[in-house]
Amino acid sequence: MNGENKEVFDTESAARCQEEGRFIRYINAIPNSYNFYSLDEQIPIFQPDLSRIPRDAKGLPLVVKTNRGLERAVPAYEGLTLRVDPVFGEVPTVFTYQGQREMIHRLGVHLAKQVAEREGVPLDVLPEEESSEGCPEYINDFMEEERIRETVRNRSRERWDW
């Protein structure tokens, strides 16, 4: 950040940067744990604190994974009861406010509506999102997943005769 060459196992400069207020939020180069702990120290395993997060009927914390990380799941619309997917341990993004925002940004309104309809959830489109066309790279990935999903559906109808 300040043009100085740094060693990988440097614990002093990270502390100095923190004291001088030079750490930046959302920086794409996250400091390594070796910048905070010396080689002979035990590095703790960091876990998110989910103790204050609301829970579903089974007692699982209502969280959703977004581009910003693990967040408290906010229902996509009022009256929607959120449930944690037992396999993935989080609320599926299409059921959350944050997830629908990301889905519209990535896929555009048209494809996001298709996904929401398939899941049986109305898509809540904000006024500033109405003309969203999505990002080509995400749309390409989505279309490839849809192609694979359709192939699997067709093969299961044919009883996998290969």
Side-chain angles (χ1 to χ4, degrees):
M1 286 177 55
N2 58 7
E4 297 175 22
N5 288 332
K6 301 292 177 212
E7 295 295 322
V8 173
F9 303 107
D10 177 13
T11 56
E12 282 101 36
S13 60
R16 191 170 63 247
C17 281
Q18 191 171 16
E19 288 169 5
E20 296 172 2
R22 290 192 286 147
F23 276 125
I24 300 172
R25 189 173 183 188
Y26 302 129
I27 189 168
N28 61 0
I30 298 172
N32 196 311
S33 59
Y34 295 115
N35 297 125
F36 298 99
Y37 300 95
S38 63
L39 291 173
D40 58 348
E41 281 184 280
Q42 179 68 31
I43 298 172
I45 298 172
F46 296 102
Q47 296 292 328
D49 179 15
L50 303 177
S51 62
R52 295 182 292 165
I53 300 290
R55 299 182 177 271
D56 69 358
K58 294 182 180 178
L60 300 171
L62 293 169
V63 293
V64 62
K65 200 172 291 177
T66 67
N67 285 341
R68 292 186 299 255
L70 206 58
E71 297 184 29
R72 176 181 181 260
V74 177
Y77 56 90
E78 195 171 324
L80 177 64
T81 303
L82 297 177
R83 289 189 311 269
V84 174
D85 184 307
V87 174
F88 297 108
E90 61 191 53
V91 177
T93 57
V94 72
F95 296 104
T96 66
Y97 176 81
Q98 307 97 306
Q100 288 195 356
R101 305 289 68 79
E102 278 189 5
M103 196 167 53
I104 290 170
H105 169 73
R106 288 179 172 201
L107 302 177
V109 175
H110 179 71
L111 289 176
K113 278 185 181 176
Q114 286 181 5
V115 173
E117 285 173 7
R118 183 170 60 212
E119 297 296 328
V121 179
L123 184 69
D124 181 29
V125 182
L126 301 178
E128 61 270 16
E129 296 172 332
E130 289 175 356
S131 62
S132 176
E133 295 180 6
C135 302
E137 60 272 12
Y138 292 120
I139 292 172
N140 289 338
D141 291 345
F142 172 77
M143 297 307 280
E144 178 64 16
E145 289 171 11
E146 288 296 300
R147 186 189 66 73
I148 292 168
R149 186 175 284 123
E150 187 60 31
T151 301
V152 169
R153 259 190 236 121
N154 290 339
R155 290 252 170 105
S156 64
R157 287 185 200 127
E158 299 166 5
R159 301 206 178 244
W160 295 88
D161 56 353
W162 38 279

